[in-house]
Amino acid sequence: ISDKLYPPQERKLDKVKRYWKLLLSLHSIQDIYGHEELTTQDMSIDHFVPWSYVAHDEFWNLHPTTREINSSKSNNLPDWKTYFPQLAKLEYFSYEMIWSSDAVHEEFEKCAREHLNNEKVRRRIYRQGLDYETFRTGLEEIVQPVYQSAKNCGFKSWIYSGENHDNRSDNIIL
């Protein structure tokens, strides 16, 4: 509540950006909206539920995209049916990397200190040994109420209309 009344003046996403750049150095990743392959030079961190609504930088709400797409999305809500499945796949890939790479796990822990402020959330979706369906369900139970609340407050639904959007695949990780 205090962050909504007195939101932080500046967002500090450097650790999250370093985390995703490390993942990019290990594996190619496609953006969830336009399915463009991400690069470390053209990567922006997006708040799935807009920061202007949540006023926080929680790890579960942050993912990489391109600068152009992030700018296009602005303060809108990505269409749930179109993009939540893609977000869940990307976040599960991230989760799997946390538990299969010591370097990624170390970078995640650095992020978690600043961007994962609820121990229940951490136990729900970041504990070791989750299968995809358990992870996806847990993520949905965390994100969906916040998303719906933002929608109830008048945040508009958004679908990316870039050139590559019609050619998207179901795989976001190459």
Side-chain angles (χ1 to χ4, degrees):
I1 293 176
S2 65
D3 282 345
K4 285 201 169 279
L5 294 174
Y6 307 104
Q9 295 303 306
E10 121 184 49
R11 293 177 265 177
K12 297 178 184 171
L13 299 175
D14 293 340
K15 288 177 182 156
V16 175
K17 201 169 213 179
R18 272 195 305 275
Y19 172 83
W20 283 104
K21 283 183 176 184
L22 174 60
L23 288 180
L24 276 172
S25 76
L26 300 172
H27 204 289
S28 62
I29 299 173
Q30 291 181 356
D31 158 76
I32 69 169
Y33 304 124
H35 301 274
E36 296 177 22
E37 190 163 331
L38 296 171
T39 67
T40 57
Q41 295 77 29
D42 184 26
M43 185 181 78
S44 181
I45 300 299
D46 177 49
H47 291 74
F48 190 77
V49 177
W51 184 88
S52 59
Y53 178 73
V54 295
H56 68 61
D57 297 322
E58 289 292 314
F59 194 73
W60 51 265
N61 192 42
L62 302 170
H63 64 94
T65 188
T66 67
R67 289 184 192 120
E68 183 271 325
I69 291 172
N70 200 8
S71 195
S72 170
K73 179 180 165 270
S74 188
N75 286 323
N76 295 304
L77 286 167
D79 181 73
W80 183 266
K81 287 181 182 176
T82 304
Y83 299 118
F84 180 77
Q86 299 303 311
L87 176 69
K89 288 176 190 174
L90 178 61
E91 292 296 325
Y92 188 69
F93 164 73
S94 164
Y95 164 82
E96 288 183 309
M97 292 298 290
I98 290 167
W99 296 108
S100 66
S101 164
D102 290 340
V104 174
H105 189 92
E106 184 177 319
E107 208 59 43
F108 167 76
E109 289 299 335
K110 290 176 189 175
C111 287
R113 285 184 208 112
E114 198 170 309
H115 299 285
L116 194 53
N117 296 308
N118 185 318
E119 193 57 37
K120 287 182 183 178
V121 169
R122 184 177 180 125
R123 284 192 307 271
R124 176 88 171 131
I125 61 174
Y126 296 110
R127 72 181 185 277
Q128 191 169 13
L130 300 179
D131 62 24
Y132 173 72
E133 192 54 36
T134 303
F135 178 88
R136 187 203 60 74
T137 300
L139 183 64
E140 183 172 16
E141 289 172 355
I142 292 163
V143 178
Q144 208 281 329
V146 178
Y147 180 97
Q148 188 60 49
S149 180
K151 191 173 184 175
N152 292 347
C153 286
F155 280 78
K156 304 275 188 272
S157 185
W158 172 86
I159 293 180
Y160 180 61
S161 62
E163 293 175 29
N164 295 333
H165 183 68
D166 292 333
N167 298 326
R168 71 175 195 245
S169 69
D170 286 334
N171 299 325
I172 57 166
I173 301 160
L174 301 175

